[in-house]
Amino acid sequence: MIVVLKQKANREQLDGLISWLKSKNVSVHTTVGEAHTILGLVGDTSKLDIDLISALDIVEDVKRVQEPYKNANRKFHPEDTVIRVGNTSIGGGSLTIMAGPCSVESEEQVVAIARAVKASGATMLRGGAFKPRTSPYSFQGLGAAGLEFLKIAREETGLPIVTEIMEIGQLPLFDDVDVIQVGARNMQNFDLLKALGHQDKPVMIKRGLSATYEEWLMSAEYVMAGGNENVILCERGIRTFETYTRNTLDLAAIPVLRRLTHLPVIIDPSHATGKSWLVDPLAMSAVAGGADGLIIEVHNDPAHALCDGPQSLRPEDFDAVAKKLFALHGFCRTLGGDEK
Ligand code: PEP
Ligand code: MN
């Protein structure tokens, strides 16, 4: 349920209403917007009397929210969520570019790639230390050592790091990571999502291979229900009948999520297509479509990469794409009109 307050509501009246609502066993999320203050009520609201609340002097409108996701719902929080990470931010009109190797292979490798992508304008370094691989015989990542190499690369470049967690037991190792990624295969690992809701680092949730928007938003809701509102959604392609590309990039996710949620939306054209030559056109399409950012895999020697070489750009190719992306983003901003 959402309660939209009149502009004239003063602090005392607001506090009185909030504590009354809390006494009815619902939790209250307050969003102070430019025009209105909105109270988002989560929990069992079935026993609340809408007519009674609507009749209060400071209340302009009361609506039931049909969608099962509440905290993630744009109706609860009309303005875009902006997530601060180090000295950069995700959402709210900026273009975040997370770039780096699929997997961290050595200190030299990740530091060299981090330097290159930073020089090209990347705003975050992304690399995997724990890798979910389809085959148990494939390289599984360097694990904790890989996290240490990422931190060295962060020290060298100043780029915040984003890296994937695979299970709850790894959480203590992620204390010093900037953004924790939940991979597509873990999107409905509810215990992991709950644990991530009880810590305060931003969490980027990749869409499951066959997850609907609602299922994906419910995963975000798991994290947010625990108190962590710093959630980012990443579309990385879904399973369809098409086999030419690794997955099918669902660009409709951008405007649909814009409408349904206030959370930032990142597009991953690398995993969506599996082919390096498709990264440029799909990354451009994502920026034109209003994405808040991109994940782009970059490797200094794609032919010998231990993971996802065929979809990785060389640093010089990334540089060319990044220039175009920033130029396009600047142009799109001049057009305005972010339809919600
Ligand atoms: C990754 O980001 O490296 C990855 C494994 O992605 P996904 O979970 O989208 O398959
Ligand atoms: Mn990868």
Side-chain angles (χ1 to χ4, degrees), residues 102 126 131 271 297 307-308 311:
C102 178
R126 201 204 71 110
K131 295 302 308 174
H271 292 90
E297 285 192 342
C307 184
D308 286 350
Q311 67 193 35

Side-chain angles (χ1 to χ4, degrees), residues 281-302:
L282 290 178
M284 293 289 278
S285 311
V287 170
D292 294 296
L294 296 155
I295 290 181
I296 297 182
E297 285 192 342
V298 179
H299 198 284
N300 44 357
D301 184 5

Side-chain angles (χ1 to χ4, degrees), residues 102 126 131-132 164 181 183-185 206 236 268 271 297:
C102 178
R126 201 204 71 110
K131 295 302 308 174
E164 178 165 354
Q181 173 178 322
R185 291 153 193 84
K206 299 190 88 176
R236 43 77 72 206
D268 175 351
H271 292 90
E297 285 192 342

Side-chain angles (χ1 to χ4, degrees), residues 183-188 190 205-219 233-240 247-248 250 253 257:
R185 291 153 193 84
N186 256 324
M187 189 203 86
Q188 288 188 316
F190 299 120
I205 306 179
K206 299 190 88 176
R207 182 181 189 177
L209 274 69
S210 60
T212 63
Y213 297 133
E214 188 167 296
E215 287 164 340
W216 189 12
L217 288 166
M218 289 310 285
S219 295
L233 298 167
C234 175
E235 159 66 33
R236 43 77 72 206
I238 49 174
R239 242 333 133 71
T240 67
N247 294 286
T248 297
D250 177 15
L257 292 175

